Amino acid sequence: MEVLLFGIAKDIVGSTQMDLSEWNSPPSSVGELKDFLCSSFPEFGKLSSLAVAVNSEYAQDTVVLEAGDEIAIIPPVSGG
């Protein structure tokens, strides 16, 4: 399970990607992944919002994650 990180998410983790497939018990849902990110990297808890895409589609917290999924963490974006 590959997690791609963009914008401030990349800065918080210090990398453009994370591989969760080697973990003993990787998150089983988008909601669990968000909880993991907030507990492992407390700066995520300070973001006003955080979108997650699974296999190039935005996903709700209840979406189940599978071993081969490509997951993107998309932080809030501002612009003018």
Side-chain angles (χ1 to χ4, degrees), residues 4 7 11 15 20 22 24-26 28-29 31 33 35 48 51 61-62 65 67-68 70-72 75 80:
L4 305 174
D11 296 337
S15 179
L20 302 182
E22 299 174 1
N24 289 337
S25 61
S28 62
S29 70
L33 175 62
D35 290 343
S48 60
D61 287 354
T62 55
L65 300 176
E70 180 182 79
I71 303 157

Side-chain angles (χ1 to χ4, degrees), residues 47-65:
L47 299 178
S48 60
S49 66
L50 185 67
V52 177
V54 178
N55 300 321
S56 301
E57 293 187 22
Y58 285 104
Q60 299 294 321
D61 287 354
T62 55
V63 170
V64 175
L65 300 176

Side-chain angles (χ1 to χ4, degrees), residues 12 34 37-39 41-48:
I12 291 171
K34 287 181 177 179
L37 290 172
C38 287
S39 66
F41 305 95
E43 291 296 312
F44 275 107
K46 297 178 182 177
L47 299 178
S48 60

